[in-house]
Amino acid sequence: MPRCAVMVEPVPRADVSQRESLSREQALPHLRLGVLISGSGTNLQAIIEACASGRLPAAEIALVVSNVASAAGLQRALQHRLPALYLPWREPEESEQRLAALLELFRVDLVVLAGWMRILSAGFLERFPRRVINLHPALLPDDPSANVHIASDGSAIPAFRGLHAIRQALEAGVKVTGSTVHYVTPAVDAGPVLCRAEVPVLEGDSEETLHERVKAVEHELIIEAIARWRARELLGQP
Ligand code: GRF
């Protein structure tokens, strides 16, 4: 016999998790993202879906900018009725001024470089301190001045910075590569790391097959990085 006769109605699990996620969402500062692209925009697509599905709660894409008019990513943005602009990059200084003005006009909190193929100057970055992050298809070390990252299997992987990072990994014959999201600093692909993920290199991999697997991982990683950035920079969490 139960000692207490009072029946407490159990709260259905769905209600509990719904309430928890609602209160978590209410506690989150709203995030307006500016996504800069130059190409296919599959990572942009992952961000669009994460905002829509609530995987990235209280977040929206405020602006998409491409420096390439024919970038497929621009079409993805337009299909989702997102503000999307082509910004020609003929004269870098002037283009950066325009870009900064646009990001401010659209009240962007965080700038995400998702396949953006232009280097941003120190002057530009000073206008958005700790507010620009980049996705790079290689394993970058925690120490920005280091040239090697120690992978989880203990192997030392050279930091493949700059262009053609996937090709560099294949040419170096490494067994593992991956992707890193880092803060953007004036030194190319060398800012403090937000998060990274490993991807094994398989026998017979071509640049295309390997990059495709790296991108599949990136589509998760970029969402994790945005969430981590908000927790760290807007909520003061470690
Ligand atoms: C990604 O692999 C990213 O790491 C690199 O450019 C690629 C962009 O791919 N910087 P997508 O345009 O998002 O498909």
Side-chain angles (χ1 to χ4, degrees):
M1 277 288 282
R3 290 185 59 199
C4 174
V6 181
M7 285 287 289
V8 179
E9 277 290 319
V11 182
R13 281 203 65 74
D15 285 0
V16 173
S17 63
Q18 225 167 25
R19 239 184 287 143
E20 278 171 0
S21 79
L22 250 179
S23 60
R24 263 202 309 272
E25 201 167 316
Q26 278 156 1
L28 282 175
H30 191 82
L31 191 54
R32 292 175 60 82
L33 302 166
V35 185
L36 308 193
I37 58 163
S38 302
S40 62
T42 62
N43 284 285
L44 165 66
Q45 185 75 41
I47 302 170
I48 293 173
E49 284 164 19
C51 291
S53 69
R55 168 123 200 267
L56 206 49
E60 67 179 309
I61 297 181
L63 179 64
V64 175
V65 176
S66 171
N67 68 311
V68 176
S70 60
L74 274 181
Q75 295 306 320
R76 293 178 194 272
L78 292 172
Q79 272 159 18
H80 288 85
R81 301 180 189 285
L82 294 171
L85 294 166
Y86 159 53
L87 182 63
W89 208 261
R90 291 191 197 99
E91 204 285 295
E93 210 171 305
E94 190 195 321
S95 305
E96 280 192 341
Q97 291 293 344
R98 285 172 196 250
L99 178 59
L102 282 167
L103 294 168
E104 282 162 4
L105 182 67
F106 282 79
R107 292 178 288 114
V108 163
D109 301 304
L110 172 64
V111 182
V112 182
L113 310 188
W116 171 256
M117 299 302 287
R118 287 288 172 271
I119 290 171
L120 297 169
S121 71
F124 175 91
L125 295 170
E126 270 164 27
R127 283 174 77 165
F128 302 93
R130 293 182 71 83
R131 286 168 56 200
V132 186
I133 62 173
N134 179 47
L135 179 62
H136 182 71
L139 296 172
L140 299 176
D142 283 329
D143 175 358
S145 65
N147 284 321
V148 164
H149 169 71
I150 305 300
S152 58
D153 66 358
S155 55
I157 309 293
F160 303 116
R161 297 190 168 100
L163 291 175
H164 310 301
I166 302 279
R167 193 184 302 167
Q168 292 183 55
L170 284 173
E171 284 171 1
V174 293
K175 296 276 174 284
V176 60
T177 184
S179 186
T180 307
V181 182
H182 63 93
Y183 288 88
V184 178
T185 57
V188 176
D189 300 329
V193 171
L194 262 171
C195 45
R196 80 169 77 68
E198 294 184 359
V199 174
V201 180
L202 304 181
E203 276 295 307
D205 251 338
S206 65
E207 205 173 329
E208 288 70 33
T209 58
L210 181 54
H211 200 174
E212 210 168 294
R213 289 205 318 287
V214 168
K215 280 197 192 188
V217 167
E218 288 183 322
H219 299 160
E220 293 293 316
L221 190 70
I222 191 67
I223 308 305
E224 190 190 323
I226 293 169
R228 194 170 285 185
W229 181 88
R230 172 161 54 186
R232 189 181 283 181
E233 301 297 333
L234 302 185
L235 296 173
Q237 293 169 12

